[in-house]
Amino acid sequence: MEAAERQKNRELPIGVFDSGVGGLTVAREIMRQTPNEKIVYFGDTARVPYGSKSRETVTRYSRQIIRFLRTIPVKAIVVACNTASAYALDEIEKEIDIPIVGVIRPGAQMAVEGTRNGRIGVIGTEGTVGSGIYTTYIRQLRPDVEVLSKACPLFVPLVEEGLWQDPVTDEIATRYLSELIDVGIDTLIMGCTHYPLIRSTIARIMGEHVTLINPAYETARELKGMLLAQGLDNPTPARLGEAQYRFFVSDGAQRFKQFANSIIKYGILSAKVVNIEEY
Ligand code: DGL
């Protein structure tokens, strides 16, 4: 590749996608850790939630979104959704010729490094927990670790309703998490992009002896390392007036914008609607 072309390639954005707004917690971490990078975010707000859909459907949706992102074009993809990472990443990885990073492997890695007593809890959507993928990755890294999982399907709508600190969320979280309290875990993976937004509730219920893992942090770190290793990191800060972060959704741009502005403090100027079924 010519030097000029390589430089141009380095300045391309990273494509980040999720079933909706949850992946913004991952985008936020990428913004923090790699401040030169441009991001194109796609939230599949018309078809959320993915957590209760089948592997086939989530894989089809993920392929469509990647096809859309590649029209931008992007230099790498981050699957900022646990359910899509659980169901689609292994297959899609084999199909594309640009780097792609999911959130599950980094989360598993972080938990294995953090546990002292070898007992790790995982909470996520029905899809993620049902796939057993966190357990698989954790056991690949450390076969003697015990993994206890619990699907928490009501957490996503509670977060989407903005009930981040609310007695209703406390009540539901207490019911879901009680199973994980008495079994002696010392590490809990928040295996769904929405959960970091109710971190304080989860932390209070689990108690201070349980370390909460937010896979977003490790995902951004893995992305950074991968960009550097492949010479794909952007050495140039965004130019004045340049749109460093762009947002696309499949429906409800206004609602997305409001929600997104409460997660990301960089100011989301606009979100455009894309007819994702066309891709
Ligand atoms: N983003 C999804 C995840 O991390 C949660 C929302 C959904 O069910 O689509 O699994």
Side-chain angles (χ1 to χ4, degrees), residues 75-78 96-101 223 226-227 230 232:
K75 65 180 174 185
I77 305 259
V78 177
I96 66 169
D97 56 358
I98 57 170
I100 182 161
V101 177
L223 173 73
M226 188 269 298
L227 293 175
Q230 301 199 19
L232 279 173

Side-chain angles (χ1 to χ4, degrees), residues 18-20 22-23 48-52 80-84 125 128 156 191-194:
D18 177 42
S19 54
V48 69
Y50 284 8
S52 50
C81 172
N82 285 262
T83 312
T125 64
T128 301
V156 168
C192 172
T193 48
H194 284 61

